[in-house]
Amino acid sequence: MQQRVLIVGAGLAGSVLARCLAEAGVPSLVIDSREHPAGMCYSSRDEETGVEVHRFGPHIFHTSNERVWAFVNRFAHWVPWVNRVHATNAKGVFSMPINLHTINQLFGQRLNPAQAREFIASKQDKSIVNPANAEEQLLRFVGREIYETFFRDYTTKQWGVSPRELSADIIKRIPIRFNYDDNYYNDIYQGFPQEGYTGLVQNILAHEAISVQLNTPYEAAMKGEFSHVFYSGPPDAYFQFACGRLGYRTVDFRYERGEGELQGCGCLNYTDMSVPFTRAHEHKYFSPWEKHDKSVVLYEYSREASGDDAPYYPKRMPADLAGLRAYLPLVEAEHGVSFIGRLGCYRYMDMHHVIASSLDYAEHFLAYRAEKVEKLRSMATDPL
């Protein structure tokens, strides 16, 4: 067995990395400041309704990456599930992402795909040649009605700023379809682990070369006890905010419980500014293999993270990216430490991206170690 490493964070990033290293003979200690494993995808039973609840918001697994899919299938039985999102506002309830049904319903039309393409083209603001921000990007490609109905207020609530202040690059592909496909994702595989995400992560961590300590925050003094540290928390926190705080959004939740079904679907987006929350999720829909007489809905309220708030989404506004660049020299100088996961890399990553990234991290780290060991062997055997 090789000298063990420290992995900070028992979420997907840390657990996948720990498992890959363990199977290659590298032991690890995985620590987490929370009292539970699985990080932000932690799920547990709601005591009143018995429904399995994703405590930090819904995590709907989807991927087309065969390597990632093969990995997660080693540790859980996956039940297929198609994510069909709906949006509600003053004009009605609509299918998302924007598709032929949405277009016909919003505009009171009965268009076929070819007619819908022509119709949307007539709505586009072609005076905008080089969109300077997200608002202009949307106006250029979907027109004002769709932009104001589905994107303007929702984006403002989600990120705390107008789309005019967000980069056009965040909307690289306009979410619009000219057919009746209402599957929110385009990926081949989509579903939920039948044991819940907590069960999935616990299974991943179940290896004799992996030790797990919960309720254990990272301290700088720990670094000297391990051959390498993998840190999945925010980089600004790691460096004790030496270059200032980076921007994050956090989420508050309000629970509603009742008999039967409460909203009739898993995911419902509220796209009017008159409603303070962004989304609502009825969690019994995320475990369709179970039957429950009662139900629970979680309403999401997005706001700026501060102080001890749990950071959910890196903002990556121009000021944040400038701050991140200020931290890069410190990162480069911090030998024996790698930053992993959504927070550690300070960029938005879905679950399959996080898993793929940790698989790659393990591969590169093991290759580096093999090269380093071989170099040490050659130095030891070379004649003086």
Side-chain angles (χ1 to χ4, degrees):
M1 297 284 280
Q2 302 183 39
Q3 187 178 356
R4 71 176 181 168
V5 301
L6 176 65
I7 297 175
V8 182
L12 280 176
S15 61
V16 171
L17 179 62
R19 184 70 187 214
C20 293
L21 295 182
E23 292 178 351
V26 179
S28 64
L29 171 63
V30 180
I31 65 171
D32 201 297
S33 59
R34 295 188 175 96
E35 62 182 11
H36 59 76
M40 301 294 269
C41 67
Y42 171 67
S43 62
S44 65
R45 294 280 173 194
D46 180 57
E47 291 185 1
E48 183 175 328
T49 64
V51 174
E52 185 81 3
V53 171
H54 303 181
R55 297 295 181 175
F56 297 91
H59 285 71
I60 302 163
F61 188 84
H62 58 98
T63 187
S64 292
N65 187 318
E66 297 288 349
R67 184 186 182 203
V68 169
W69 185 239
F71 180 85
V72 297
N73 271 271
R74 293 175 52 198
F75 304 101
H77 172 69
W78 291 82
V79 179
W81 194 83
V82 176
N83 188 23
R84 292 188 168 91
V85 177
H86 296 81
T88 181
N89 51 55
K91 296 181 180 180
V93 180
F94 301 88
S95 173
M96 295 293 284
I98 308 298
N99 59 61
L100 191 54
H101 186 196
T102 318
I103 296 167
N104 281 328
Q105 185 181 3
L106 177 63
F107 294 102
Q109 300 289 327
R110 299 178 65 182
L111 305 173
N112 64 33
Q115 292 169 333
R117 288 181 183 275
E118 184 177 347
F119 180 78
I120 293 300
S122 73
K123 296 288 185 179
Q124 295 172 341
D125 188 343
K126 296 183 175 61
S127 68
I128 302 173
V129 179
N130 297 307
N133 54 56
E135 178 179 88
E136 291 186 0
Q137 181 86 339
L138 286 160
L139 292 174
R140 172 69 180 83
F141 288 101
V142 299
R144 183 163 295 278
E145 292 95 335
I146 289 178
Y147 165 67
E148 292 184 349
T149 303
F150 299 110
F151 296 104
R152 182 189 61 191
D153 290 359
Y154 184 84
T155 302
T156 302
K157 290 192 293 184
Q158 181 73 14
W159 293 103
V161 296
S162 165
R164 290 189 296 272
E165 299 179 55
L166 298 174
S167 169
D169 293 338
I170 70 169
I171 306 175
K172 295 179 180 177
R173 289 189 295 176
I174 302 302
I176 187 167
R177 297 171 181 165
F178 295 100
N179 55 35
Y180 289 101
D181 179 11
D182 62 351
N183 184 348
Y184 196 77
Y185 301 117
N186 291 314
D187 288 312
I188 299 171
Y189 307 109
Q190 183 179 169
F192 294 105
Q194 194 162 1
E195 295 182 63
Y197 285 106
T198 302
L200 168 69
V201 171
Q202 287 174 328
N203 290 341
I204 293 173
L205 290 170
H207 191 284
E208 61 182 6
I210 301 173
S211 300
V212 180
Q213 288 183 194
L214 303 175
N215 295 306
T216 305
Y218 174 74
E219 297 179 1
M222 296 177 177
K223 180 182 174 184
E225 302 174 20
F226 300 88
S227 63
H228 199 90
V229 175
F230 294 93
Y231 185 84
S232 66
D236 53 342
Y238 179 87
F239 292 106
Q240 299 181 318
F241 310 104
C243 300
R245 290 182 178 269
L246 301 176
Y248 302 89
R249 297 292 284 178
T250 192
V251 179
D252 297 320
F253 296 98
R254 175 171 62 85
Y255 285 67
E256 178 187 351
R257 298 174 177 88
E259 299 289 337
E261 298 181 1
L262 301 180
Q263 73 176 20
C265 66
C267 303
L268 188 61
N269 292 354
Y270 287 77
T271 63
D272 279 344
M273 188 61 75
S274 59
V275 177
F277 44 88
T278 54
R279 306 187 295 177
H281 305 280
E282 191 163 5
H283 283 247
K284 69 191 306 180
Y285 282 91
F286 302 150
S287 50
W289 57 89
E290 299 180 351
K291 300 298 180 184
H292 298 278
D293 295 330
K294 295 183 178 181
S295 190
V296 55
V297 173
L298 268 64
Y299 295 87
E300 291 190 18
Y301 296 77
S302 178
R303 63 176 174 82
E304 198 76 3
S306 62
D308 295 330
D309 289 329
Y312 277 61
Y313 305 109
K315 287 184 67 177
R316 296 181 67 85
M317 297 289 286
D320 302 311
L321 295 178
L324 183 62
R325 286 191 290 272
Y327 276 105
L328 291 182
L330 298 182
V331 172
E332 292 294 329
E334 193 75 359
H335 299 296
V337 179
S338 299
F339 294 86
I340 63 172
R342 175 192 289 190
L343 296 179
C345 297
Y346 196 69
R347 60 189 175 93
Y348 184 84
M349 301 167 71
D350 282 328
M351 287 186 288
H352 62 290
H353 297 135
V354 170
I355 294 170
S357 178
S358 286
L359 292 174
D360 289 341
Y361 259 112
E363 191 174 87
H364 295 322
F365 180 73
L366 293 169
Y368 164 76
R369 276 213 166 180
E371 179 183 344
K372 187 175 181 181
V373 168
E374 192 58 41
K375 183 177 180 182
L376 289 172
R377 281 204 191 108
S378 66
M379 290 172 61
T381 56
D382 281 344
L384 295 175

